[in-house]
Structures are given as C-alpha cells and as structure tokens.
C-alpha cells in the first residue's frame, strides 16, 4: 500500500510533463529529416502549469496522519524480576547464604535486607521491565516505544512530512524544475521566432535632414548646397534622390536561415524538453534519497536511545552491586565508560539528523529554519521494481525512456540540421524587400516646401561565397565536427545509462539478501539478551555480563535499519535509471 502512495507522488510530480504530440498545441512535436542521423524521439511537452493548475490537478497526498499505520508497543523481551527479602524468621545457616562459581571464580552469596538495599531493588525494577505483547510476524527496529516524530527537536518550528507528499511537492515551485521548464518555454519561443523570420516588419517614423556646404553632383561637378529634407509616414530617412533607407514594410533575411533555422530551433526545443524532464526526475531522486537519509537518522536515534536506557539502567545496577560489595568496582567503571560512549553516539546521530533535515529542506526548496519531521512510524522495504526483473529488459527499458538519452538524440539531430544549413549556404540568397509610402518635402536652406506623397519599392537578392570558398569549407568542417561530437556524446550517454541500470539492479538484488541476513541477526541478538538475563535472574552471573548482549542487539538493529534504507535507496536509483517507467512490482 505504501508503494502505491509513493507512485502516486511520483505521478503527481511528473504528469504535467506529459505531452500533446499530434495536437494543435504550439508545443506539439514536429517531424523532420536528418541525413546524417536517425530521427530522435518526438518530444512530448505540455505548458508549465500555474500554481492554481497544480493545486487543482495534483492535490498533495499524505497530509496529516491518514497514512500512518498504527504501531503496537513492541516487547521488551525480558521478564519482570525483583529481589525478595529474606523471611523475618530464618535460620542462621540460611542467613549465611551460599557460594556461586562462575568462570572459575567462586563468590559468596548472602541475603541482604531490602530495606537497606532499596536502591538495588529500584534499579532492578527499572532495568527488567514487564513484557508487552508484540505484533505477530514483524521485526521492529525500535522495540520499546512508539515513535514520537517530535522527539529531541531543537526548535519549535517543525514541518511534518511523509515520502509521498515530499515527492508530490517537487513538481510545484522548486527552482531547479521551474528554471528547466522556463528554459523549455524560451526554446519554443525561439522556435516561433525562427518560423516567422521571413515575414516583413513594420516601421513608421519621421526624419529631417539638413545639409550645408559642398556637394558633388552626379556629373562630377561640385556645388555649394544648402538644403533640408523632411519625410514622415510609413518609412523614414530618405535624402535627396535616394530611396527610403528604412522602408515602412521590410523583410530582410538569409534564405538559409529561413529554411533551416526553424528546424534547428525545433530540435533544440526537443532537447530542452527532455532536459527538463531529466531535471524533474533527478530532483525526485534527490528528494527520495534525502528523505530516506533523514528517516534513517531518526530511526537510528530511537535504537541508540533505547540502548542508552538499557545501558544506563545496567550501569546503575552495576554501581549498586559494587557499592554493596556484591560486584566489582571495575565493572561499575566500565559501565560508566560504556554509557558515556552511548551518549556520544546519540549526540553524533542528533547532529546528522539535523543536517539531513536541512538537506531535505534544500531538495524541496523549503525554509531551512523549519525542522522536517518524518511521519513514517517505522522503516519498511519499498519495492518499486522486484529483484527478479531481468537486467537486460531493464536496460532496454531505460534506453527507450531515459530523458538524458532522448536529449542526446535531439542534440545529434540539431547538429545535423546545422550542418545542412552551412552546406547549402552558398546556393541560397540573402533577401531584402522594402515598401514605403510617405510624405516628402524639401527646399533650399531651412525652407521645407512642396510636400507631397512618395512611394518606394525595393527588392534585393544577393549570393555570398565567404572568403573565396575557404570560409565555406571551414564552416562545413566545423559543423561536421559538431555532428561527430554529438554522436559520441550520445554513445557515452548510452553506456552511462546501461551502467547505472546494471549497478542499481545489482544493489537491489544483494541488498535484499542483506536485509534477510540482518533480520535474522536481530532474532539471534534478542535470544542472547534473554538468555543472559535468565542467567542473572538465576544467580549465575553479574549484570556486567549483559553488556555485550545489549551492544550486539543495538548493532543488529542498526545493521537491519541500514540494510532496509540501502535497499530503498537502490530501488529509487533503479527507478530513476530506467526513466521512472512505473514498472509494476509484480512483474
């Protein structure tokens, strides 16, 4: 069930990038031919949603406690024991006690009045708590308390969050995703601009020209001229007998740009669209890994805090035994040292938990002043892709879906179009078309007279061979090099995608096996802990002998926690590596 909510969060984050190919949308993909490379997959990209669209179409999942499973208080795995005082009426022989041999050491056991040793009884009662029924067939990483998400927080400003909600938040206002989406908008705007570059522009204005001094006439003679010219309307800048230099309706472009620039811009837009999808998917992965890191630190803190409670009670009990002469002072000192080391581990985990919270806040673009609190009551394995999936089929899926590879294909097609542009450049002309309809007048000195209508039409076509043909050759050679670079970059991405899928699949398989091993280790550590306690209750040992079992149980639980988190991380990495295909776990 939890996997379904995670997939819902992934869907909420990525569905707005689903496209409208083949529709009438200006973002629909376009077909094109590239003589040097097969066509890339058509881009499918919709418009970037507004916050209102996001709130309406993609409600945040998992708010509140509706997805929190009830947790039954796990067992302490020990039976309650206590010291009993000797009967008021007892024989002298019974008061002398008995001897106990353990590990080659013989100890004298004597009965002690509980009124004088009430502190020992209290310590024992604290350490050996009554058992609580455990939920069936479930290995609990934290065993003595229901998790309290707000425990040990250093600030009152908290932000409760679960994993599906965190994933759903990525598609909102995250700066990395928003920046990539607006880069796509920019690319499609450039495409629209390239498609209309052959259309004329409109210019209207007013111009005034004044000339004083010598002027050379067309017959070669030089005359002293003082004149003024004035033009207004649909065009401007005319002087004397010349045409209007700034026509009112003007189209000026190189035919190679009009033919090839839309196709180049189209491939660029495709690449930007796939890049934006890749940014979204990478951000989903970063958020998932950051959340799992925070969840691990919070759960790890619970495990070590439980170990601290047991160690602290054991240290107090050992101290009481030493004070009453029933134990060694060296054992009490050793327990103090062990307790200090446990507290040091707690301080270290608290630091790592706060760091993990800040990093998750960065991944989600949240206020770093808020302390994120994971709502998951315990860590459970998340299975997005089963370990039984064939690696070859996963690689094939990734090569067909991974946005990074589609971006590389689009960039190869773009380089091919640029090559074609330079190849045909000398054979297509530059074009200038101009039409003006204005009022024009002039006269001697500053006199402006005889103002009347004026019409100008200009058509100009020129062909250019750059640098005696050497420039054309160098330009085509440059574009050929760019095509080859794009091809090799595509091959590099192919290898990288295949490697990432293979690595993540191997991690999923082996970490699943590691989970089972560490899960069994918890049971062994609990059995050892119970047997050591039983020996103490039977008077066959000292409290210090339980220390190793406490440490072993802590290590086993932390190892299981790490193996589950590592397995979940591998699942998300594999899902990202294959392009978030949404493969059902049952396949």
């Amino acid at each position: 069930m939890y996997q379904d909510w995670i997939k819902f969060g992934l869907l909420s984050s990525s569905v707005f990038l689903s496209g409208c190919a083949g529709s009438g949308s200006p973002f629909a993909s376009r077909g094109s031919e590239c003589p040097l490379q097969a066509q890339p997959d058509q881009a499918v990209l919709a418009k970037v949603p507004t916050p209102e669209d996001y709130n309406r179409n993609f409600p945040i999942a998992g708010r509140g406690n509706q997805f929190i499973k009830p947790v039954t208080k796990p067992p302490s795995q020990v039976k309650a024991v206590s010291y009993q005082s000797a009967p008021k009426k007892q024989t002298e022989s019974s008061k002398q006690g008995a001897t106990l041999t353990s590990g080659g050491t013989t100890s004298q056991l004597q009965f002690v009045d509980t009124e004088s040793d009430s502190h020992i009884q209290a310590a024992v009662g604290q350490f050996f708590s009554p058992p609580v029924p455990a939920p069936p067939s479930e290995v609990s990483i934290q065993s003595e308390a229901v998790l309290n998400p707000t425990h040990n927080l250093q600030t009152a400003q908290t932000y409760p969050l679960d994993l599906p909600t965190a994933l759903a938040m990525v598609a909102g206002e995250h700066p990395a995703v928003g920046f990539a989406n607006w880069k796509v908008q920019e690319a499609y705007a450039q495409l629209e601009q390239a498609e209309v570059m052959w259309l004329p522009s409109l210019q209207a204005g007013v111009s005034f020209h004044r000339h004083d001094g010598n002027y050379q006439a067309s017959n070669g003679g030089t005359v002293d001229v003082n004149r003024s010219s004035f033009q207004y309307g649909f065009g401007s800048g005319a002087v004397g007998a010349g045409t209007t230099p700034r026509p009112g309706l003007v189209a000026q472009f190189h035919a190679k740009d009009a033919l090839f620039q839309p196709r180049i811009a189209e491939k660029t837009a495709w690449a930007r669209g796939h890049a934006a999808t890749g940014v979204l998917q990478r951000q989903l992965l970063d958020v998932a890994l950051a959340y799992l890191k925070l969840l691990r630190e919070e759960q790890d803190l619970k495990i070590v805090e439980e170990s601290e409670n047991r160690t602290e009670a054991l240290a107090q009990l050992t101290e009481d035994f030493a004070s009453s002469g029933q134990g060694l002072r060296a054992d009490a000192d050793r327990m103090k040292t062990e307790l200090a080391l446990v507290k040091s581990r707690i301080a270290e985990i608290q630091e790592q938990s706060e760091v993990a919270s800040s990093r998750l806040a960065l991944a989600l673009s949240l206020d770093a002043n808020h302390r994120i609190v994971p709502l998951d009551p315990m860590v459970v394995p998340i299975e997005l892709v089963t370990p039984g999936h064939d690696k070859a089929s996963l690689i094939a899926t990734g090569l067909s879906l991974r946005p990074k590879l589609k971006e590389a294909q689009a960039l190869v097609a773009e380089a091919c179009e640029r090559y074609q542009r330079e190849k045909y450049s000398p054979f297509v002309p530059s074009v200038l078309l101009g039409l003006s309809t204005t009022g024009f007048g002039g006269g001697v000195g500053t006199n402006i007279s005889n103002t009347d209508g004026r019409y100008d039409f200009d058509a100009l076509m020129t062909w250019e061979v750059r640098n005696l043909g050497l420039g054309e050759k160098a330009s085509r050679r440059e574009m050929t090099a760019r095509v080859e670079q794009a091809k090799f970059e595509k091959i590099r991405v192919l290898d990288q995608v295949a490697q990432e899928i293979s690595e993540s699949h191997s991690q999923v398989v082996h970490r699943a096996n590691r989970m089972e091993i560490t899960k069994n280790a918890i049971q062994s550590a609990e059995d050892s802990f119970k047997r050591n306690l039983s020996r103490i209750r039977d008077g066959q040992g000292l409290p210090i002998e339980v220390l190793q079992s406490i440490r072993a149980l802590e290590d086993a639980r932390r190892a299981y926690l790490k193996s589950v988190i590592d397995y979940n991380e591998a699942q998300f990495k594999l899902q990202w590596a294959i392009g978030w295909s949404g493969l059902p776990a049952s396949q």
Side-chain angles (χ1 to χ4, degrees), residues 37-289:
Q37 178 66 25
Q39 271 298 101
D41 295 338
Q42 291 185 337
V44 284
L45 184 68
K47 70 181 183 69
V48 179
T50 63
E52 291 75 14
D53 295 333
Y54 177 78
N55 293 332
R56 180 175 63 253
N57 297 326
F58 313 119
I60 299 299
R63 294 287 188 189
N65 296 323
Q66 54 186 330
F67 303 127
I68 303 302
K69 297 181 180 179
V71 180
T72 306
K73 186 176 181 181
S76 61
Q77 288 92 22
V78 297
K79 295 181 179 180
V81 299
S82 62
Y83 284 116
Q84 302 264 342
S85 61
K88 294 296 182 178
K89 296 180 180 180
Q90 52 184 321
T91 62
E92 291 296 326
S93 60
S94 63
K95 291 184 179 181
Q96 292 176 357
T99 59
L100 173 65
T101 301
S102 176
T105 302
T106 302
S107 304
Q108 184 71 28
L109 302 181
Q110 295 182 351
F111 291 100
V112 180
D113 187 7
T114 55
E115 295 181 358
S116 61
D117 284 65
S118 58
H119 55 289
I120 296 180
Q121 182 178 2
V124 173
Q126 178 184 4
F127 182 62
F128 302 110
S129 56
V132 180
S137 64
E138 182 174 326
V139 175
S140 176
I141 299 175
Q142 59 288 339
S143 67
E144 289 203 356
V146 179
L147 292 184
N148 180 8
T150 60
H151 186 60
N152 280 341
L153 295 180
Q154 301 299 323
T155 175
Q157 294 180 330
T158 60
Y159 192 95
L161 190 66
D162 59 11
L163 182 54
T165 302
L167 294 173
M169 291 171 63
V170 175
E173 297 296 324
H174 193 279
V177 178
F179 179 82
N181 288 333
W182 283 109
K183 292 288 287 185
V184 176
Q185 298 290 347
E186 177 187 9
Y188 276 104
Q190 292 173 349
L191 171 59
E192 293 177 357
Q193 186 178 13
E195 289 176 333
V196 298
M197 68 166 49
W198 58 273
L199 294 177
S201 301
L202 303 177
Q203 299 182 118
V206 177
S207 64
F208 174 79
H209 173 72
R210 168 74 181 181
H211 176 80
D212 294 305
N214 286 345
Y215 175 82
Q216 187 175 21
S218 58
N219 61 4
T222 302
V223 294
D224 187 11
V225 177
N226 297 319
R227 63 177 175 83
S228 297
S229 300
F230 177 72
Q231 185 179 20
Y232 62 93
F234 201 48
S236 61
V239 176
T243 186
T244 300
R246 295 183 179 275
L249 186 68
V250 58
Q252 185 175 7
F253 56 89
H254 198 296
K256 66 176 183 180
D257 292 331
L259 292 174
F260 292 101
Q261 196 60 37
R263 300 165 70 175
I264 294 173
E266 180 183 52
K267 306 307 185 296
T268 302
W270 289 359
R272 293 279 179 83
H274 293 308
T277 304
V279 169
L280 172 63
Q281 293 186 0
R282 182 68 209 190
Q283 200 62 34
L284 285 171
L285 176 63
D286 291 344
V287 168
L289 296 181

Side-chain angles (χ1 to χ4, degrees), residues 324-516:
S324 62
Q326 300 179 53
L328 301 177
R329 173 56 56 184
D331 292 344
D333 294 338
R334 179 183 174 188
M335 288 304 308
K336 290 180 180 179
T337 303
E338 186 64 30
L339 182 59
L341 293 177
V342 175
K343 292 182 181 295
S344 176
R345 292 199 295 273
I346 289 178
E348 180 182 0
I349 296 174
Q350 288 174 338
E351 172 194 345
Q352 294 173 353
S353 178
E354 293 189 12
V355 171
S357 174
S358 65
R359 290 179 179 175
L360 178 57
L362 175 62
L364 290 171
S365 188
L366 296 177
D367 186 359
N369 189 41
H370 288 76
R371 178 70 161 83
I372 300 179
V373 179
L375 291 177
D376 300 75
M378 63 177 60
V379 176
V380 294
I382 299 174
E383 196 168 83
L384 302 176
V385 180
T386 57
H389 271 290
D390 179 61
K391 183 183 294 187
S393 64
L394 291 176
I395 292 177
T397 301
L399 295 181
S400 63
L401 296 179
R402 187 74 176 269
K404 189 173 185 179
L405 183 55
K406 292 183 178 181
E407 178 188 4
Q409 293 172 336
L411 291 177
V412 171
E414 177 195 6
C416 291
E417 296 295 349
R418 291 186 183 276
Y419 173 83
Q420 297 296 323
R421 177 177 177 272
E422 298 302 324
K423 178 180 178 180
Y424 293 104
S425 177
F427 307 104
V428 292
S430 294
V431 178
L432 172 63
L433 300 175
L435 173 64
S436 301
T437 171
T438 63
F440 183 82
V444 178
T446 58
N447 182 35
I448 302 295
S449 59
N450 194 20
T451 300
D452 204 349
R454 170 174 173 163
Y455 304 93
D456 293 284
F457 176 75
D458 300 279
L460 178 66
M461 301 180 67
T462 60
W463 284 260
E464 179 186 16
V465 178
R466 291 170 288 182
N467 310 114
L468 299 179
L470 298 179
E472 301 295 338
K473 180 180 178 181
S475 179
R476 286 195 294 271
R477 183 179 178 184
E478 177 187 1
M479 292 301 106
T480 301
R482 291 190 179 182
V483 170
E484 295 302 321
Q485 291 176 37
K487 287 182 177 180
F488 279 107
E489 175 63 16
K490 176 186 174 182
I491 295 175
R492 186 194 67 80
V493 173
L494 279 169
D495 294 339
Q496 179 182 351
V497 169
Q499 184 272 333
E500 289 170 346
I501 295 175
S502 177
E503 176 181 328
S504 299
H505 181 267
S506 299
Q507 290 176 340
V508 167
V509 172
H510 292 287
R511 291 177 182 182
N513 184 41
R514 202 174 84 202
M515 277 195 307
E516 292 300 320

Side-chain angles (χ1 to χ4, degrees), residues 28-39:
S29 58
R30 301 166 173 83
S32 179
E33 296 182 356
C34 179
L36 300 183
Q37 178 66 25
Q39 271 298 101

